[in-house]
Amino acid sequence: MRSGNISKVNLGVAPNQKESITLTSRTIFASVSKEALSAPWNSGSQGSINVTSSSRSRSGLNVTVARASRVSLVPGSSGGLSLHSSARAPNSTLSPSSCMTLILGSESLSMDSSFLVSDTSTLTMSSQQDYSEDNSIRTMPLEENLGKWDSLQGVTAFRSPPEGTSEDGKVNVPEDRDEDNKTALMEGRIEGNPAVLLPMALEVENTIAFQENQDLMETKGEKETTMKMMMLPLTGSVFPTQRQIQEEPVDSLLSPVRRQAMEILAQLSHTKPALSVRERVELVNTCVRSVFSLPSVRAMQEKDEAKAEVIQTLYHQTLDSLQKLLNALFIEDPTPAGLKSILEPLGPWMNSGKAHERARAVNSNISVLNHTLVTLPFSMSSGFPALGLLLGRLLLRIGDPDEEIGREALDGITILYTILDLQKRTKDKEDTNKKELYEINKHFLGPYNPVSPCQNILRVIAEFGDFLGPQQVKDLLLAALEGLKDISEAQGKDSGEMMQLASEVTLSSVLEWYRHRALEVIPEIMQGIYMQLSHIQEPRAREVALLPISFLASSFMTEVVVALFMCPLPLDSNGAEMWRQLILRKPSCDVRDLLDLLLTTLKEKPITKKGRASIVPLAAASGLCELLSVNSCVGRVRRIYPQLLLALLIQVHYHIGLSLPSRVAPRKDAKDDTQLPAILPVCWMVKVVKTLLLKMGCSYESTFLEEQGGWELMGQAENHYRGVALLARAMVHYSCQELCRILYLLIPLLERGDEKHKVTATAFFVELFHMEQVRRIPEEYSLGRMVEGLSHRNPVMKVLSIRGLVILARRSEKMAKVHALLPTMVKCLKNMDGELVVEAVRDLKTIFKGQGKKLTDSSVYVEMLQILLPHFSDARKEVRVSCISVYGKVVQKLRIPCTEALEEQLTSTLLPLLLIMQEGNAKVSQKCEKTLFRCACFMKWELPKRAYSQKPWENHLQTVTKICQYLVNSHRDSVFTFLSQSLEFAKNSRASLRKSSVIFIGSLVPCMKNIMTEERLNEVKAKESYLSKWPFSSSNPALEILRHDPEASVCIYAAQAQDHIMASCWRNSWPLPHGDSWVCDPSSSHRWSSSCENLPTSHQRRSWIMQALGSWKMSLKQ
């Protein structure tokens, strides 16, 4: 750029109050230098510079303003650029009070234009409609430079020229430059939209910073890094700068970018709107991590010895910039919340394993505290934020192996105490000198003792008592736990021991003096201990960390236990150790009271008042399981062993199928793909029962249940009472010493609680009837309770009552009374599940055997047979086998003469036994054969010999015909009963029974020709239509429906049976197959003939089989 392009304007010698200077042609730079403001100004004098461009290109406009108290930028409506200057009050030449106004034309601005301001107190920007939507004015009061105004600091702007511009970027460097003089630039408060000013501010700041460090940065690469940062187009928010800090390397410090960015952020902290608390915390975290993570200065210097001095200087500047940023952020929001957002990110670094990181954190904390002290008074109505955490971390640093860190930590505590003291005095309206008060407190808290820093810790804790409330005590304890985290090998053993000692002294003294203040925050303390234990592995450190549990439990046992209920389940090693700590260390809580509290909790239902599942009983059981692992506790448990055992058994019943709210929190050290252990509440409760038995010396009983599968039965809804009964039976068998206590305890329990409670108690109680001590129990509590149970609505209670009566019947004095109850016991089995019936009948057999003589009254047997018969077709094979077998044994007990009711009952059993024998199961068929034989012997039936055969009927149709002929001839009155039964079996879910029933129907109906009158036939058809209602249809006859059965063999034999019936009965009385137009001749023979030559083709046997197969294939396709 030629010299003609530079214009210097002396505003001080303006002859008039208003003077205007216009720069035209290709002028792109205007400078108002020191001489222009050297003369005193009148209060009304003004000056202006108008810059216009005669050429079409509007790029490259650069303006520098120096030594002005006020500068205004106003976009003009013309195409030019104007700069106005005025002074509103006379001043000395060293500190002029001038006002510069720069009017920017709408076409004068471009991407490579710049506007640089130095030594200026206020910058005002106004925008018109073309440039701002709100047409507002932005004002920046710029802090006056505290240095001398001896010379003008040169400023250089770097901009990339836009495409299509022929002008090159120009640089103006004044000849005289004082290195010690720094330009006060962009310091103060920016009001308005920061997006308008930030690009300019960053450019100016980065430019000045580049010149200040130009001598330090000698390499070309370092200059390029700074150039790139200055040219970065930012959006006007702090986040781009924050990202720049994040991108800086944390293993070296050779660039001023980190420092410059923090200085810019400190300046931007005055913008409105202010950062939110979350944004401020993120910003502080980013800056602190970037600076604190740097290696020590010595390490960085050793890595690059050639730049040792540069690194030393740059490090101190960077640390100073961080502290200024923290102080600026506090000024932005001088409230407890604002202070907390700054101090919180610093806390974890105070416990770092590296000494230089701890030193940086302590220094930064002290800097913020010192700034807070200087800034007082500020609003702190809610108390000093996170006082306990800050105090605890500083206390730990007093015991730091590095004496310098310990000394500074004590100084920080002194400042903190002074702040709190000032707040207290402010409330009392006392005027106090801050410096004098600080010196008094420093003397009061005592000098730093490097030999025994624990003395300083004790003194500080004692003196801070007036400022420690419940939350502060909690935070102080948790902060002390932070010092117990695992020490790295680099720190050394001595360092770890010193930290443990400081933590132990802090914890012990706080708990000793202020534990009564922690009552309301005990749950939070327990949660904090649990979380910290995951990071503490050294045994001695874990003992120290668990101290608060025993201390607090000695005074507030209930509150501590309730808090431990909230530990995640299932208990891990940390939770288990916290439970054991209740009784392992002194001072400890009373074990007797602790067990009574757990027992009371175990008696509660795992359901809240709002109907939700509660985890408290399960947590209490888990805690009891851990206490049982302490040998000193086992003797105390024996005192309430019966109550605990019964309470746990009832809790097992409550927890079956119970879904509890999850209390398993992810560990901080757990990997993302780590699967947390799942917990099944009922299984965990059964485990506690097993543990209790083993600890009480019942190992034989536990082994017995293991072998018999009793533990699995206990956790199943339908078999829980069986598992409990098995346990009681085992305890009786092995003569458990506690049975008498359990027996007397159960008597009142039978009347309490809900149905689950009563079922569990009754299941255990009835098994104790084997004991001799039962004789001492009043009859109303034994026999009377069992009689009441027979009328209970729960079938399980009925079965248990029957078992209890059967056991009591073994005693001679109770036998007659129990035998008198036999009809009642049998009647209560009606409409009961087959498995329960089998169980009850198995017990009743002992009564029948004990009678010696057969009953003269057969009504009881008849009722028993009526109850057993419906279960012949039960879906469970075991139930079928048992019921059929017992049925035969009952028949053996019968005496002649046979009553009509008994005969009718046994006759109704004949066909079911014949059909079930064809089931195909060898065991079931064998029982059917034996029972059928006993019935035939008692009733003197002369069944065909092959009726007892288990061979399949489909291969022996002649046998079926003989059986049917016998039934028609010998049991003519029961034939229609047989037909009805066969139709019922045709609806059975097992295909083998459906096949047997259709074969039987196909053979029975032709045999009924002599008794099948038209009236009877219509009755059968009606009954058939009624009985054939099942899923396939509600109106078609059974055989027609069975022709579409999913089982192919059933389809075939159904078609064959229908063929037999139509060939032998009145053809016009039976429904013809769909689409058959043939009408039978009444004069034709109705007798069945094996030859089908005279039948129409559609009614021949082969056509029926083929049609049935076709129907079956179609049903499969559907």
Side-chain angles (χ1 to χ4, degrees), residues 322-481:
L322 174 62
Q323 294 176 353
K324 287 181 179 179
L325 172 60
L326 298 179
N327 295 339
L329 291 175
F330 172 69
I331 294 297
E332 179 187 19
D333 184 16
T335 62
L339 182 58
K340 182 180 179 181
S341 66
I342 298 172
L343 294 176
E344 250 184 8
L346 300 175
W349 293 93
M350 296 178 70
N351 296 316
S352 171
K354 301 176 181 178
H356 62 275
E357 292 181 356
R358 298 197 301 272
R360 293 165 185 169
V362 171
N363 288 335
S364 298
N365 272 282
I366 294 175
S367 174
V368 174
L369 289 174
N370 196 26
H371 192 70
T372 304
L373 178 62
V374 174
T375 310
L376 284 175
F378 71 96
S379 174
M380 203 160 57
S381 57
S382 59
F384 195 91
L387 171 61
L389 285 174
L390 179 59
L391 177 60
R393 288 162 177 164
L394 289 173
L395 283 173
L396 295 182
R397 297 281 63 80
I398 291 179
D400 197 279
D402 191 330
E403 293 184 8
E404 186 62 29
I405 295 178
R407 187 173 287 103
E408 291 184 358
L410 182 59
D411 186 56
I413 291 176
T414 304
I415 298 174
L416 178 60
Y417 188 86
T418 304
I419 293 174
L420 298 174
D421 198 7
L422 276 173
Q423 289 288 318
K424 183 179 179 181
R425 292 171 183 266
T426 302
K427 292 181 180 179
D428 298 337
K429 299 182 179 180
E430 297 181 14
D431 295 333
T432 308
N433 185 284
K434 297 180 181 179
K435 186 174 182 180
E436 292 179 359
L437 183 61
Y438 168 77
E439 295 296 335
I440 293 173
N441 292 332
K442 185 175 182 180
H443 178 74
F444 179 66
L445 294 176
Y448 174 69
N449 186 351
V451 178
S452 180
C454 291
Q455 297 297 326
N456 295 109
I457 295 176
L458 292 172
R459 181 66 181 273
V460 168
I461 294 175
E463 299 303 332
F464 266 80
D466 294 339
F467 306 108
L468 299 179
Q471 290 295 331
Q472 287 72 34
V473 171
K474 181 259 297 182
D475 291 341
L476 184 54
L477 291 174
L478 297 183
L481 294 176

Side-chain angles (χ1 to χ4, degrees), residues 459-507:
R459 181 66 181 273
V460 168
I461 294 175
E463 299 303 332
F464 266 80
D466 294 339
F467 306 108
L468 299 179
Q471 290 295 331
Q472 287 72 34
V473 171
K474 181 259 297 182
D475 291 341
L476 184 54
L477 291 174
L478 297 183
L481 294 176
E482 294 178 357
L484 298 172
K485 293 182 178 179
D486 293 339
I487 308 297
S488 62
E489 296 181 0
Q491 292 179 258
K493 182 178 179 181
D494 295 338
S495 176
E497 291 179 352
M498 292 181 66
M499 293 303 301
Q500 289 182 14
L501 180 61
S503 296
E504 185 174 4
V505 170
T506 302
L507 288 171

Side-chain angles (χ1 to χ4, degrees), residues 481 484-486 500 507 529-549 572-578 580-581 585:
L481 294 176
L484 298 172
K485 293 182 178 179
D486 293 339
Q500 289 182 14
L507 288 171
I529 294 174
Y530 177 81
M531 299 301 295
Q532 291 295 340
L533 284 175
S534 301
H535 308 284
I536 304 173
Q537 304 301 329
E538 202 274 324
R540 175 57 185 162
R542 290 181 70 87
E543 290 182 10
V544 175
L546 293 169
L547 277 178
I549 299 177
D572 56 7
S573 58
N574 298 330
E577 197 167 357
M578 291 174 70
R580 293 193 294 268
Q581 182 71 15
R585 299 284 181 269

